[in-house]
Amino acid sequence: MTTRPHIDFAATSHESYARSLKFFWKETPYRAVVAEAAASGANDVDSLEGSMRPSPAYQLYGWLERRAQQVKYQGRWGMAPTLEPQGERLREILDQGAALQPGRLHLDPNMEMPAYVSDTDIHQLAGGVWDTDVSAFVYEWATSAVSFSMLDPATPLNWYGELMRERFAPAVVLDIGCTAGASTRALKRAMPEAEIHGCDVSAPAVRLAHLRSVEADLAIDYWQMNGEDMSFEDGRFDLVTSHWLIHEVPPSALRRIMAEGRRILRPGGTFAMYDMYLTPGGTIDAWLLDGYAARNNEPFTQPIRNLDMEQELTAAGFTDIRIELSGLQATPEVLSGELPDSRTHYMSVITATAPE
Ligand SMILES: C[S@@+](CC[C@H](N)C(=O)[O-])C[C@H]1O[C@@H](n2cnc3c(N)ncnc32)[C@H](O)[C@@H]1O
């Protein structure tokens, strides 16, 4: 029996339409907005927003950015309405998955869901990804299309897994905020000899991650666990990493995740985060990122971007802090502050060491 949801031709075509909107948005409207913003003379995010609001090009850009996500998830053929009627079957699929290698799946029915997860319709997905089996499959489908950085989704995942192996060669790894396990599997593929764990607050996500790892024959342990308060013993890991987690948590929660990361890392171990943080395209890039976050219901992206990460990691007890642009995006043009021809979300790699 297939463990994939049924997606018919109409839903596939609708997804293709949503993707085309996004591909259009990132080219012509984006270029018009950048040209106008550069000519406006505004040199901080707030005045740029103020001066650009009357611009039809910006209105089109902003509306397309918001609407393409809504088209993807909602409407007659959106991902959520397509999968909702399949809820019972999807639960059975996850139940069957849970019966396979059950020792690798660690659920915590008593875990208290953080309000910033349960109360945020993240990415405009009603209910977010935490509460239903359907939402885990919707998220899996959505992220198999286009990544935040507008690259083929497998490319940054594989690149990041390889980077972690090359730089740190860890033997025991934890991936916090693993969702359906795409990042965790990439880590395992890059480091087949390593002991790999993934954790997430969402039980359906962790159950789906477990199923997909079993299917891919990748030995990974999954935990339903809050990264702010983990049951792992001190010094358990060589690498504690997160891939696209931190823009989804408020600064207070990130501080607790850093403190927990520090506790469960062995001396000399690495804490690593991959997310949107640096804005190499200057004020225009920062303004576009803040606008994207507001339009896509990502309320913590801006406060996280505004954190002084070096100071935060130092306060959490880390040393050797390194903050850099993803090597996939660090072209000479980007590093010289030039905005690219088409919209991308720049990803940063932030690493720090737990002192000996
Ligand atoms: C954008 S997704 C991460 C995607 C995933 N790492 C990947 O690369 O496919 C963010 C995930 O973080 C989870 N999350 C949010 N806060 C968390 C916390 N405090 N502890 C653990 N997971 C958390 C959410 O439930 C969500 O599944």
Side-chain angles (χ1 to χ4, degrees), residues 116 129 139 177 179 182-183 200-201 225-227 243-245 248-249:
Y116 57 83
V129 298
Y139 185 87
T179 320
S183 46
D200 201 288
V201 289
M225 210 182 263
N226 183 341
H243 193 265
W244 293 342
L245 165 73
E248 291 191 11
V249 305

Side-chain angles (χ1 to χ4, degrees), residues 31 37 50 63 85 136 141 194 196 199-200 214 226 233 242 245 262 317 331 346 356:
R31 283 196 279 272
W63 181 246
W141 182 6
I196 307 274
C199 83
D200 201 288
V214 171
N226 183 341
E233 69 269 29
S242 66
L245 165 73
R262 167 92 175 79
T331 61
Y346 294 109
E356 301 282 346

Side-chain angles (χ1 to χ4, degrees), residues 147-161 163-164 175-177 183 187 240-248 271-277 304 309 324-329 344-351:
S147 82
F148 283 121
S149 43
M150 303 303 295
L151 301 163
D152 166 68
T155 305
L157 286 165
N158 294 337
W159 176 85
Y160 185 72
L163 182 78
M164 292 296 106
D175 180 26
I176 304 180
S183 46
L187 289 163
V240 172
T241 174
S242 66
H243 193 265
W244 293 342
L245 165 73
I246 65 168
H247 74 282
E248 291 191 11
F271 187 75
M273 303 178 277
Y274 178 87
D275 217 305
M276 296 173 287
Y277 178 67
I304 291 295
M309 233 23 119
E324 67 205 298
L325 198 61
S326 151
L328 281 174
Q329 295 169 311
T344 182
H345 288 123
Y346 294 109
M347 305 305 289
S348 300
V349 178
I350 304 172
T351 58

